[in-house]
Amino acid sequence: MTCRKAKTLLPLYAGGDLRPRLMTAVRAHVDSCPVCWKELEEYRESMSRLKAAVKAESVPDWSEGEWLALADRFRPEAPGEK
């Protein structure tokens, strides 16, 4: 799997929303690619902070898909990405 393909799947992977075969492929790539591993950790950290902030504000819980869509809007762009 290439970084480009993995990066498109990372939000779904982080939320556990991939078929088992794709989960395995993304996991294998992430385990061998420090750049994608870092991006995955950033997704997870962002999700955790967003959930904590929402919980502190007593906002109704969102589905995992809604959280991932929101987190994707705040994902930092990699250098050279537009």
Side-chain angles (χ1 to χ4, degrees):
M1 177 170 290
T2 65
C3 289
R4 185 176 185 160
K5 176 71 173 178
K7 287 181 178 196
T8 64
L9 297 171
L10 284 178
L12 295 171
Y13 178 83
D17 293 324
L18 290 175
R19 294 185 312 263
R21 186 174 180 184
L22 276 177
M23 289 287 282
T24 300
V26 173
R27 180 47 143 189
H29 177 81
V30 166
D31 283 346
S32 66
C33 179
V35 173
C36 290
W37 177 261
K38 183 175 188 248
E39 189 166 331
L40 175 62
E41 289 303 307
E42 289 171 356
Y43 269 114
R44 289 177 172 163
E45 184 178 328
S46 295
M47 291 297 300
S48 179
R49 285 185 299 194
L50 285 168
K51 286 181 179 181
V54 168
K55 190 172 190 176
E57 295 294 323
S58 300
V59 175
D61 200 16
W62 292 355
S63 72
E64 196 67 24
E66 290 169 315
W67 282 112
L68 291 172
L70 181 62
D72 196 40
R73 292 177 56 197
F74 293 96
R75 181 179 63 89
E77 287 186 11
E81 250 186 34
K82 291 264 179 192

